[in-house]
Amino acid sequence: MKRSAKFILGILVALFVLWQVLPAYLRQALIHQQPGIYDYQIFNNRTVGTGLSQPWELSAAYNQMQPSPALRDSLLSMETTAFLVIQNDSILYEYYPEGLSPETASNSFSMAKSIVGLLIGCAIADGNIESTQQGVEELLPDLPKLHGKGLRLNHLLTMSSGSSWDESYSSPFSITTEAYYGNDLQKLLQGLQINDKPGETFSYRSGDTQLLAQILRNATGRSLADYASEKLWRPLGAEHAALWSLDRENGMEKAYCCFNSNARDFARLGQLLLNKGHWKGQQLLPETYINTALSPATHLKDEDGDTVNYYGYQIWLLQHQGENIPYLRGILGQYIYVLPESNAVVVRLGHRRSEIYCGAHTQDAYTWLNMARQVLKNQQ
């Protein structure tokens, strides 16, 4: 018994020592296992402030049109936390499961990339950035490993930087995992280098968006959250302040993943795209920039050799029932769709998305569009 007790104690001591020598980000990854939509509660955050709120009006037909029982089952089986359809600037339909409400905030995940893309347009309009053709040597002078390869701003916007960022979600040792759970994004950016010729191959990299955020900080002299508040959240009349998660206290925003808000306020971003950058008498972004951002980067090939007809400037693009639909997408089933022909915006938030892909798009990306179209059709 004594020998057994000593053996067990030795194992516990060894495990404790091993735990202590693990990098801090890896300890966090092992504790939390998988990212979740409420992870802002375990991170430091910076507030994206709002000003005078502009609540959405309710349609005269509010919640009178219901999707089919099969599609409503999808809301439950895919652990949906919010589903919202806005048409003609009014809420036509919304769903929240028991215990949640229009005020419930959750993580955008990669929908945040599209927000960063919009802020680049704002910085160009402000004159802080010359154009999308500006070179990274000038925009990021403090990252010399990215210099000398012809890397330009538009390459980052279209995910064609050719950088060494490893977009691996399953490995606890990947740079993406370290970026999410670590505490020094700047150090990670300093280690990036260009492995392939920029502007030729689409390869989805969260690091490209994080570099865009660094460019914005350099160009504006502002934190990403403060700039987003001034250029988007306040003028869009958001009802609730958002939270942008940081790598550490008073640190750098996790630009590629971690903007936290609710369905009604997220919908404002879709409405802004629908209106080509215009919001209630103000042109928040140049229409020319929006048009380019929503145009597919067909000059690029993806890693399978296919033409990139599904991605613009940090925004996904799909065809559905003959309509070109821009949309924002997050890894756990976060979506904001823009339906120009119906003058509508659709938001879906939740804990899960389909693991099955139809080309570049997840299968459930079409599920929520089908549900929205049922609601819109029944309203006519």
Side-chain angles (χ1 to χ4, degrees):
M1 289 294 291
K2 290 182 178 180
R3 184 176 298 176
S4 177
K6 287 182 179 180
F7 177 77
I8 293 173
L9 179 60
I11 292 293
L12 292 174
V13 169
L15 290 173
F16 176 78
V17 171
L18 178 62
W19 181 260
Q20 294 302 311
V21 300
L22 288 176
Y25 88 87
L26 191 51
R27 294 201 297 268
Q28 289 296 312
L30 291 172
I31 290 170
H32 299 290
Q33 296 296 311
Q34 297 292 334
I37 66 173
Y38 304 123
D39 278 353
Y40 68 90
Q41 297 171 355
I42 66 172
F43 295 137
N44 291 291
N45 300 283
R46 185 169 286 127
T47 299
V48 182
T50 190
L52 182 64
S53 65
Q54 301 171 32
W56 293 102
E57 293 185 2
L58 299 183
S59 167
Y62 174 72
N63 271 13
Q64 293 180 15
M65 293 68 60
Q66 298 291 328
S68 68
L71 286 174
R72 282 183 61 83
D73 285 345
S74 297
L75 293 173
L76 297 174
S77 64
M78 297 297 288
E79 298 182 56
T80 301
T81 57
F83 188 78
L84 175 69
V85 179
I86 290 177
Q87 187 179 40
N88 301 327
D89 298 308
S90 300
I91 299 176
L92 183 61
Y93 176 83
E94 62 183 337
Y95 159 88
Y96 305 96
E98 185 176 354
L100 302 182
S101 73
E103 289 76 36
T104 302
S106 61
N107 196 351
S108 67
F109 288 103
S110 287
M111 292 201 305
K113 292 180 171 70
S114 304
I115 299 174
V116 174
L118 293 176
L119 291 175
I120 290 289
C122 293
I124 291 173
D126 287 346
N128 293 316
I129 295 173
E130 291 177 8
S131 75
T132 59
Q133 300 300 312
Q134 195 167 358
V136 165
E137 286 91 343
E138 184 178 0
L139 294 167
L140 294 173
D142 52 338
L143 298 179
K145 289 184 179 181
L146 302 179
H147 299 175
K149 299 295 181 68
L151 182 61
R152 299 194 304 268
L153 180 61
N154 65 312
H155 299 147
L156 297 173
L157 287 165
T158 55
M159 296 286 185
S160 59
S161 67
S163 83
S164 57
W165 185 280
D166 173 25
E167 193 73 12
S168 175
Y169 302 117
S170 59
S171 171
F173 301 101
S174 74
I175 191 173
T176 303
T177 301
E178 185 172 357
Y180 191 74
Y181 288 112
N183 59 11
D184 197 342
L185 284 167
Q186 184 63 43
K187 181 180 178 181
L188 294 182
L189 295 183
Q190 288 172 347
L192 291 181
Q193 58 187 20
I194 303 301
N195 289 343
D196 302 303
K197 186 177 179 181
E200 291 190 348
T201 304
F202 172 88
S203 183
Y204 190 85
R205 295 179 178 93
S206 292
D208 285 9
T209 308
Q210 199 62 46
L211 289 169
L212 290 173
Q214 181 71 11
I215 286 169
L216 284 166
R217 189 164 71 170
N218 288 354
T220 66
R222 310 273 298 281
S223 73
L224 194 61
D226 287 347
Y227 196 60
S229 173
E230 178 191 344
K231 294 299 176 181
L232 296 176
W233 223 234
R234 290 179 186 274
L236 288 175
E239 292 189 74
H240 299 277
L243 295 175
W244 212 321
S245 296
L246 309 176
D247 57 357
R248 61 185 182 277
E249 187 176 2
N250 299 320
M252 187 177 189
E253 288 86 352
K254 300 178 186 187
Y256 64 92
C257 73
C258 301
F259 188 100
N260 300 273
S261 185
N262 60 76
R264 288 187 178 185
D265 281 342
F266 275 135
R268 300 172 192 278
L269 299 169
Q271 190 71 38
L272 183 66
L273 293 176
L274 180 65
N275 295 343
K276 301 293 186 179
H278 188 268
W279 183 272
K280 299 186 185 300
Q282 299 182 71
Q283 193 70 38
L284 303 186
L285 283 97
E287 185 172 341
T288 53
Y289 183 85
I290 294 291
N291 287 336
T292 304
L294 302 186
S295 298
T298 53
H299 62 286
L300 300 174
K301 299 289 186 180
D302 62 22
E303 293 170 307
D304 295 324
D306 297 325
T307 298
V308 179
N309 57 5
Y310 50 80
Y311 203 77
Y313 281 179
Q314 306 281 295
I315 292 175
W316 295 92
L317 309 164
L318 62 72
Q319 287 271 330
H320 187 257
Q321 298 185 10
E323 185 176 9
N324 296 316
I325 296 178
Y327 75 107
L328 288 62
R329 184 169 98 190
I331 194 172
L332 294 185
Q334 291 70 38
Y335 300 99
I336 303 173
Y337 302 92
V338 178
L339 283 67
E341 293 179 11
S342 301
N343 195 32
V345 173
V346 180
V347 179
R348 188 272 178 180
L349 307 175
H351 292 280
R352 293 179 53 208
R353 75 175 186 190
S354 174
E355 299 299 322
I356 300 172
Y357 277 77
C358 304
H361 312 288
T362 53
Q363 190 176 70
D364 68 303
Y366 296 95
T367 299
W368 314 123
L369 277 173
N370 289 331
M371 185 177 296
R373 288 197 187 280
Q374 277 195 3
V375 169
L376 292 165
K377 181 179 180 180
N378 291 340
Q379 187 268 342
Q380 293 175 354

